[in-house]
Amino acid sequence: MHLKTFLAALLLVAVAITNLYAQARTAVPTSQRVDAATTRKVNTLLAKMTLEEKIGQLVLYTSDYDVTGPVVRAGYLKDIRAGNCGAVFNALTANFTRQLQKIAVEETRLKIPLIFGYDVIHGYKTTFPIPLAEAASFDTVAIELAARVAAREASAAGLHWTFAPMVDIARDPRWGRIAEGSGEDVFLGSTLARVRTRGFQGMEGWDLLATDSTVVACAKHYAAYGAAEAGRDYNTTDMSEQRLRDVYLPPFQAAVNAGAGTFMTAFNSVNGVPATGNRFLVTDVLRDEWGFGGFVVTDYTSINEMMKHGVAADSAGVGALAINAGVDMDMQGGIFQGSLASLVRRGVVKEKTITEAARRVLTMKYKLGLFDNPYGRNDSLREKARTLTPENLAAALDMARKSIVLLKNDRDVLPLSKSLGTVALIGPLADNQRELLGPWSGAGDAKEVVTVRAGLTRKLPSTKLLYAKGCEIDTKDSSGFAEAVRTARQADAVIAIVGEEQGMSGEAASRSQITLPGVQTELLMELAKTGKPIVVVLMNGRPLDLSAVLPAATAIVEGWFLGNRTGDALADVLFGDFNPSGKLPVSFPRNVGQVPIYLSALNTGRPVNVNEKFTSKYLDVENTPLYAFGYGLSYTTFAYSNLRLEQNVLGQRDMLRASITLTNTGKREGTEVVQLYTRDEVGSMSRPLQELKGFKRMTLAAGASVQVSFEVPVQSLGFHNAQMKYVVEPGTFLVMVGGSSDKVQTLPFTVR
Ligand code: GLC
């Protein structure tokens, strides 16, 4: 063979290998694929567009119908009419969004429809439990249905796009936004990121988005927003790339693989670079590594805020940072509208970058069917018919019941008997509607909420239900205590409903103390002095420091914020019509000084040992959480036996197959969330003591037994090593199975 021919052949082979590698690197998940027909339509439209019109598609403004951040820009209608705004958020109802759509579709040169977005975080009109509460159910079917119901109501109200699921891992209860996510665990967080994305968008892929009952999801806040130092919202996050990739990024990748059509960048800086201008995150990882094909929107004026971060001196500087990092749409900042055209003319930004961003936005608009049917979601009759229906409210009740976690139940005081003569209902959240919707309740309507008082009244027609508020949620005023104590003395049992205001969690709601606000703990102590059984029900958006509540409470029920059906769900649990099955998706510390305290921690070289001085511990508190991740009681009891592995030596491509016998050893049917954890005992880097790798909800009749089996891919047991490579290193592992992370059966196994 001639040398020239040989070299040419060599070159061809080299090109082929490079392409294969490139393909492998950006293997686009099927759920992110765009069909050729859509691509053709987008190309045709792009070819007609001026630079300004392309930039217009990258601009998102809030309407004045509802506001979720700082100042509202007045001229958004003028911007729409001029083709300078292609997306609107916080505009609600089929009619109002129709009015705005008409401007875009009938008055602009190219008649490109608007996309309408909104924070549908835990329900649109029918309000479900806050996401952290839903996570406590560990019920992926119920959680997907909750997102599906939210999408059906939101799409009937003219919306195409929800700014959810929030998938930020959070391990600091001072951070108010812990309420909006799935808690501290990577596996649970990744599972629910997938489940909620599908709930909003329908199953895999974008082809379902054009139906009139789905909305495109938005995985947020990319990335590591939940790692804000000191739990102070918007604060710095700084960590190793290993921790970023092993803990904070996996739920986002799960959302990509589930087909999430959009992402939202976070306010915070990540290792010194604001997320909204972070090319490593937005292009290298999200697009090049994960194959994300949708569009990326910023958080509310987070481009502008990069000037405050100090990474650029002016609007043009931050605008260039964002667009060149791979961000596609500017939420509310006005920076893209004001700066991009001149940045292109000055050569700081390539027009191609703008064109590609507009392509991604227009592709989503085509996938949503906006061009074929711009008014497809503007039917106010259908909106009314779809909203707050009995089915939706039934789904909210089911989700609420399953989200409740029983933390303490001394003397089996719960469930209370329905034949109790007199029950005293005490506390600032006992007869309160407004707070029960919880943070980010969007279009939820407090008037529709079933209060605890209403729920108990319905449940106990023949019981004398006394009521006293006792105190406000967050004041120093204890003048209501006397009446509360008098009321308690007259009752056979006391139910105290205490907790936080809805505004004490969610955005811009960090707390430096995490005890019950105001004088609520003191109220509980006064009630306990009556000697009556005190059932404490918590309504809160974060783990609380319950150390002082514990001695005053005979029983403690974690009720979170449960939405529309709060009163019915709690009445069902308190009086035994529903056996609580929730488990904690986040550790509850004994006090805020322990924070961060979470399950998947490293062992350290001097693991805590109270009998040894020189070990990693506090002198003034027990060194375990008050309640561990995965903990939750039931009205029945469960026993675990006979943990077995199909094989205990496994290859890299094998499945770890474990099974255990679960027995209901109590007197009534119950549901148990069986949890599977693993530990990599020896690695090239120190590995966590326990990591959740599986869970199953099992409902069992009294006395029944069942074998519960798990299949865990060995490939899921890895981590990013010092060379930043994802590896599953050979060696000894442990598998642990039980009904709480601190009560497990353990077996060893080996990976070859
Ligand atoms: C807010 C929140 C974000 C929300 C957005 C639009 O500031 O950070 O979660 O989706 O603005 O309301």
Side-chain angles (χ1 to χ4, degrees), residues 583-588 599 625-632 740-742:
K583 301 284 186 180
L584 292 180
V586 61
S587 311
F588 272 48
L599 175 73
L626 181 62
Y627 296 114
F629 176 89
Y631 170 83
S740 175
S741 61
D742 60 355

Side-chain angles (χ1 to χ4, degrees), residues 68 89 119 163 177 220-221 264 267 299-300 331 440 507:
T68 55
F89 66 120
D119 293 284
F163 301 136
R177 303 199 78 165
K220 73 184 187 184
H221 305 78
M264 183 187 294
F267 288 117
D299 204 335
Y300 199 109
M331 180 192 284
W440 284 112
E507 186 173 358

Side-chain angles (χ1 to χ4, degrees), residues 11 25 56 69 142 221 373 414 443 510 534 538:
L11 184 66
R25 215 155 55 93
H221 305 78
N373 188 4
L414 287 177
S510 297
I534 309 292
L538 300 166

Side-chain angles (χ1 to χ4, degrees), residues 60 62 67-70 89-90 118-121 162-164 166 168 177 180 218 220-221 225 233-234 264-267 298-301 305 331 440 507:
L60 167 67
T62 181
V67 178
T68 55
F89 66 120
N90 298 334
Y118 190 55
D119 293 284
V120 185
I121 309 298
T162 177
F163 301 136
M166 185 273 215
D168 299 305
R177 303 199 78 165
E180 301 172 43
C218 179
K220 73 184 187 184
H221 305 78
Y225 181 32
D233 204 3
Y234 314 123
M264 183 187 294
T265 59
F267 288 117
T298 71
D299 204 335
Y300 199 109
T301 64
E305 293 162 19
M331 180 192 284
W440 284 112
E507 186 173 358

Side-chain angles (χ1 to χ4, degrees), residues 386-414:
R386 277 246 190 108
T387 304
L388 285 167
T389 62
E391 301 76 22
N392 296 357
L393 289 164
L397 173 57
D398 179 58
M399 189 77 258
R401 285 178 179 144
K402 292 172 174 173
S403 302
I404 292 168
V405 185
L406 179 59
L407 296 178
K408 179 181 182 185
N409 191 17
D410 281 0
R411 308 194 299 277
D412 288 341
V413 67
L414 287 177

